[in-house]
Amino acid sequence: MATVNPRRPTEPSGRKLSIHVVTWNIASEAPPLDLNDLLQLNNQNLNLDMYVIGLQEMNCGIMSLLSDTAFEDPWSSFFMEVLSPLSFIKVSSVRMQGLLLLVFAKYQHLPFIQIISTKSIPTGFFGFWGNKGGVNICLKLYGYYVSIINCHLPPHVANNDQRLEHFDQILEMQNVGRHDIPNILDHDLILWFGDLNFRIEDFGLHFVRESIKNRCYTDLWQKDQLNIAKRQDPLLREFQEGPLRFPPTYKFDKNSDNYDTSEKKRKPAWTDRILWRLKRQPHAGSYTPKLPAPNFSLSLKSYISHMMYTISDHKPVSGTFDLEVKPVVFIPMITLMHEGLWTTENDILISYSSTPDFLSSPWDWIGLYKVYINVNNIPETEDQFLLCYYSNSLQSVAGISNPFKIQPRVILQEDPPGEAQPQI
């Protein structure tokens, strides 16, 4: 095995990542045929780097759970089939009964994403049942700590105090218990979303529906339980949210755009929300919070609901963010290169080098992967491949090569006799 010593690249001044976050209570339904609007695949102005997808109320019947244990669940499979041809790779996932959290990233970002932990925090039935609670993926992104939490909080307007208790409980249980990992409140970014189940207080059903019909949301915002709680709770106040300029996303008759017409006639509410919190920097010599670090900033570009989807009694919500970072880590721990011309009929040679602080393991491995390309945007249609170095100790990809081609094997056959015809 040969090694190479690449020249140390110039430290980058900054990098912007576009992140699309999705939350949807799918009410145990299977994926629809088309999710292009939800994933913003038709938006030519977007060049996304990451997808963060959180689902609630996935089908968690016994047969479904057994099937999903043996095979990929249908929603994960659907997202992978749609996103793989666009050069996205599933970085990590975690599931707890009906809760599912998925993170996808463009392959070029993989060496700079390190999975720290995945966690499930059940809060249903006094913490013994996972029908309610939260799932978390904690990762380092270009050297910064990012915690992603998808949760499902208790329902009904009267259970607001219980919702707030579960919020605190899920947050408190995120700490991984390792000395080298900071407390979650010291992470650079927390993305918190899901079916938070906060309701609209005081107003009656008729007033709420008339306000929605006339698109007069101002009065409803004032009585939204989450907005009220943020005004009263100092910690919750640190979580930001975009403006609710879309209609309440709950509760609809399935396969329609009509709010609940059943006997219960649930009052509409903004149950499905996306929040975020940036780490605050203390003033010198004091503990008073200041502005976030200038090397790490997040801006919301879009916060919308997707009313066209009718399979559930909830409408999905998405938020698109621009994350601007000055990378702490900008050199891959492993640099991989393929040596010479690769063909399917000859031995192959791989060269790689590592940074001085990289700890290898006998369980590390190098994989060869086919690169899927979008032929609508890239005229190149020949198969291309990548080498990926997987670190067992980091549970992450530590290095990735540039795309390259492999020459197919050529077999000479006599057909007809006396004439050599190449067969690929």
Side-chain angles (χ1 to χ4, degrees), residues 180-193:
D180 58 330
I181 306 300
N183 183 288
I184 187 172
L185 295 179
D186 290 321
H187 289 186
D188 298 283
L189 172 65
I190 302 173
L191 284 170
W192 187 305
F193 53 88

Side-chain angles (χ1 to χ4, degrees), residues 367-380:
L368 178 68
Y369 295 92
K370 185 175 179 180
V371 180
Y372 292 93
I373 57 176
N374 186 348
V375 295
N376 294 324
N377 297 328
I378 305 174
E380 180 69 69

Side-chain angles (χ1 to χ4, degrees), residues 144-164:
Y144 294 90
Y145 285 97
V146 176
S147 274
I148 303 168
I149 303 170
N150 170 30
C151 70
H152 194 181
L153 300 181
H156 308 311
V157 67
N159 289 333
N160 193 45
D161 288 344
Q162 188 181 19
R163 271 188 289 279
L164 295 173

Side-chain angles (χ1 to χ4, degrees), residues 101-102 107 201 215 316 325 351:
L101 177 58
L102 300 163
Y107 69 83
E201 292 185 346
R215 297 190 176 185
V325 301
S351 296

